[in-house]
Amino acid sequence: MDQKTLPQPRLAPLPPETTPELKEQFEATQKRMGFIPNSMLIMQRDPKLTRAFTHMSAAIWSPESKVDLKLKRLISHVASRSAGCKYCMAHTAEGAAKLGVDQRKLDEVWNYQTSPLYTPAERSAIEVAIAAGCVPNAVTDEMFTELRRHWNDEQIVEIIGVIALFGFLNRWNDTFATPLEDEPLHFGEAHLAAQGWDAGKHLR
């Protein structure tokens, strides 16, 4: 599609300097991600919400996490795909690669049940993430029992926390049709297109 014919964003991302009181939050995000996502540049119209979101994100991605951050990225990716958010799919896949997730493992994530690249513990978490990303929620007691075989209560709270955070982000970005930034867009085109991904309404 010719760039001149691309539709306008539903609500345009604003430059970060629009809200000086969020400078600390934007700088922390820039340091962690390498750029400030358009989702936050839209959200800054409500500084309290932006600060709350930043605090939640910092807790989810804390280096003190009891669940490996690489697995958390994979969990966020499958939950986002299950929810149908192409913006978040690209972001989470690129984020997984930046954390050092082997591309083969990312490519195999939808074969998690049989792939030797995944452990039984990882499979239990991914299965719950896929089911939890559905509407209505499709997590069963049997899935949760399997999850508890491999993870303690604190770890389970972290796993569900990732899924819940992306439940918010999936709906936020899908509703706003948030424009994809160059880095996740190019990663999605290079690594996710073969699985049927395209930027869709997020190419603006």
Side-chain angles (χ1 to χ4, degrees), residues 46-86:
D46 186 339
K48 289 182 180 179
L49 177 60
T50 307
R51 282 193 289 269
F53 170 75
T54 304
H55 285 308
M56 176 68 82
S57 296
I60 293 294
W61 304 117
S62 169
E64 299 174 0
S65 174
K66 301 298 188 296
V67 177
D68 183 73
L69 293 180
K70 294 179 183 179
L71 177 59
K72 282 188 171 183
R73 282 294 180 188
L74 291 169
I75 288 169
S76 67
H77 178 67
V78 297
S80 296
R81 179 165 171 177
S82 190
C85 180
K86 295 180 177 181

Side-chain angles (χ1 to χ4, degrees), residues 178-196:
T178 306
L180 265 167
E181 306 80 7
D182 287 344
E183 294 92 333
L185 173 62
H186 294 156
F187 189 91
E189 290 173 338
H191 299 288
L192 301 180
Q195 302 168 19

Side-chain angles (χ1 to χ4, degrees), residues 115-136:
S115 173
L117 299 177
Y118 286 89
T119 67
E122 290 172 330
R123 289 172 186 151
S124 70
I126 290 171
E127 184 166 29
V128 166
I130 292 170
C134 296
V135 177

